[in-house]
Amino acid sequence: MFSTSAGGGSGSVGGIGAGGGGGGGGGSGKSGSGGGGGLWAAYLALLDRRPLATKAVSAAVLNGLGDIIAQLGFEKGHDFDWRRLGVFTFLGFIFIGPALHYWYGTLGRLVTAKGTAGTLIKLTADQLAFAPTFISAILGLIMAFEGQAHALPDKLRQDLFTIVRSNWMLWVPFQFFNFRYVPVNLQVLSSNVVAPPLSIRRQARKHRVAVRVQAAAVEEEEDLWQYPDRDQWYLPKFVANDQPDWNPARFVRSTQLAPGIKEVVLEVEISREKVPLRNAYKHIGQRACVRINSGAEVEAAVASAPFPQHLNRDALYRARGDITANEIKSVKEELSIAAELALLVRDEGAQRDLYRMGPDDVPEAGPFKGGGLKLRGTISGIWQYPTIVIFCEGEGIATARALIEATPEVGGLNFGLRSDVRMYYKAPNEASFCYKGLFEEWESKHKVKVITSTRGTFLDMFDDDDTLMYEPATTAAIILTGGDEEAEEAAAEVCKEGEVALVVKQSDEQPLVEYLDKGKKE
């Protein structure tokens, strides 16, 4: 097969493509034609009479010679590849020589400036415009001969910049000399004379590296037999476990909800290739961890539902190694997927920096904390608990919003399918109610009726609600007070007096899920 790597042998793009690029250099194009005798004089005469054919044959001969030296000198242990030699010789004749002939001639006609200024103009056009195009064409021709033309787009996306950058390191100095001092009619020859030695040098370096790697591999193999956890290598490894705990985030917007309370929305990374399950937002009631400008870690209540699974569809396919039709298996960068995360923050304590965050700040999102609300038990049964009452105060409104708007896919309780769901929301004054603009939407879309009060207790609100008709045995209560133990205890007392069958408290989180690093737990 023919090498198509950036640092391949003389038949590779690194060997042929390096000569691509250039332009007509200084000189009249006739200099040297009258000097010398014998073969050189004959060659110069042929250049005058048949310039295109002479340059094509020169490129074919020198290109083939470079491949012969590479195969015999640095690829020992393999049969001589006559087909590869034929292909590279053919490419030199049919494409490389003619392409350089017309390109150099075109540059000579278009660039009229003389001296160093003209040389720099030609060099810039050559290396920025012609060289990438020339290298892409060579790659395409080689892969076509290999029967891999369909893989060319992926090859160019992955390797073209690396090849062009390597080409610049080798050819910019030579092409400057070529354009400045070599006559136009000899520039193709000089490029093809220099290409094989440079390619052979690359092949020698590649050969030496391969020998060192092979020797190191043998030594490593001997040591690995004694490695104590060698049996663990063959166990399946869970995706993203080797990723960092913190990922860059982006400030999106902030909204004033009440005096000293804001909703801050961040765009965070949720890709399963970048965020391991142990750090992901998977359960309603978990708390977010955020850092601002590399500062201290701050926890905040999450006011949006866990992210739906369909957002991670492509990342999950990638994580398990699936490929689509006409796609080749190759190393790929992890897929990044961003989604908006709403946080409820206060202008006090550790959250003050979050509260005052703006577009110029640099946030980071870390692991989500806590096990979340206990919603996996019988409370998820629509017919078992058709009536649900929610007691909410303080930061508990953030979790309440996440719960109300969550779909069953991410742990929601299907409030819209139950007989009666209502939330008793208590605040010290009217200005302190958060998300007042969503109350009507929650009732119309999610069938959750919000009852507010600025006076009295949860018991007063519950007793004064004459519209609530419930059976204690089929009623569940959810208490969301954002860490206020006294308010939670008061709501629990209401549930006890009302003989509510099931009570879910925000403080009583479900047990943390244990995520394994790899394999099956013994």
Side-chain angles (χ1 to χ4, degrees), residues 433-442:
F433 286 115
C434 299
Y435 299 115
K436 289 185 289 187
L438 296 177
F439 292 172
E440 290 185 6
E441 179 184 335
W442 289 350

Side-chain angles (χ1 to χ4, degrees), residues 233-283:
W233 300 347
Y234 305 101
L235 296 176
K237 187 176 180 181
F238 292 96
V239 67
N241 274 2
D242 55 351
Q243 294 289 337
D245 287 338
W246 292 84
N247 285 288
R250 184 179 67 86
F251 173 83
V252 178
R253 62 183 177 276
S254 65
T255 305
Q256 194 76 43
L257 300 178
I261 302 177
K262 279 185 180 180
E263 179 190 76
V264 175
V265 178
L266 302 178
E267 186 179 72
V268 299
E269 180 64 63
I270 66 167
S271 171
R272 279 291 289 113
E273 287 195 293
K274 288 180 171 288
V275 181
L277 280 176
R278 66 175 181 270
N279 294 343
Y281 179 30
K282 302 296 292 183
H283 310 292

Side-chain angles (χ1 to χ4, degrees), residues 220-221 223-237 518:
E220 182 71 10
E221 183 178 1
D223 294 337
L224 294 180
W225 284 106
Q226 308 302 324
Y227 198 80
D229 296 325
R230 187 169 178 270
D231 60 312
Q232 298 292 311
W233 300 347
Y234 305 101
L235 296 176
K237 187 176 180 181
K518 55 185 176 181

Side-chain angles (χ1 to χ4, degrees), residues 290-328:
V290 182
R291 291 193 304 219
I292 306 297
N293 303 324
S294 300
E297 175 183 324
V298 179
E299 291 188 20
V302 181
S304 51
F307 309 111
Q309 194 80 325
H310 69 81
L311 296 178
N312 256 305
R313 176 180 178 274
D314 292 338
L316 290 171
Y317 280 141
R318 289 269 298 272
R320 72 178 192 177
D322 285 1
I323 60 176
T324 58
N326 298 321
E327 186 179 4
I328 61 173

